Amino acid sequence: VQLQASGGGLVQAGDSLRLSCAPSERTFRSNAVGWFRQAPGKAREFVAATRWVSGATVYADSVKGRFAISRDNAKNTVYLQMNNLKPEDTAVYYCASSNGVTNSTIRLSRSYNLWGQGTQVTVSS
């Protein structure tokens, strides 16, 4: 199984993008799906995550109020709607799947065992 992230691109500050994350096998199920990002020269950081069954969501403070994570059960796809993008949002965005997370581990990259290939988001000022 592979995770396929898509939807990145080059936009201007204030624009919106929607990223998608889908498994290569439609029957694949996970406990939680998260989005992380990595800017050049920086460590990978948590962006947002959702629990697949409950739909509960968590966000990094830096994106709260601008980004929204959601899932489509029928399509087995997770989306990251990014609004009011800023130049500091520029990064490669990765989606990742976890077999099990807790409230204290959902933001940790080591909690996720399956990673997508990443999609580039570039926001110009």
Side-chain angles (χ1 to χ4, degrees), residues 29 36 53 62:
R29 290 292 183 268
F36 294 78
V53 174
S62 59

Side-chain angles (χ1 to χ4, degrees), residues 8-105:
L10 171 63
V11 296
Q12 293 184 331
D15 286 350
S16 299
L17 278 175
R18 188 178 78 161
L19 306 183
S20 300
C21 177
S24 55
E25 296 179 11
R26 289 288 300 271
T27 57
F28 177 76
R29 290 292 183 268
S30 64
N31 175 268
V33 175
W35 286 96
F36 294 78
R37 66 187 182 186
Q38 188 166 19
K42 295 187 176 181
R44 187 172 298 184
E45 65 174 358
F46 170 79
V47 176
T50 182
R51 300 282 194 102
W52 192 263
V53 174
S54 69
T57 58
V58 293
Y59 296 93
D61 289 343
S62 59
V63 306
K64 200 173 295 183
R66 299 188 298 122
F67 290 13
I69 188 170
S70 62
R71 73 201 193 288
D72 184 327
N73 290 340
K75 296 182 179 180
N76 202 17
T77 299
V78 173
Y79 302 99
L80 184 67
Q81 177 67 42
M82 305 186 295
N83 299 323
N84 189 23
L85 282 161
K86 303 176 180 180
E88 52 263 43
D89 294 318
T90 295
V92 177
Y93 283 71
Y94 299 90
C95 65
S97 170
S98 174
N99 291 331
V101 295
T102 66
N103 288 339
S104 61
T105 64

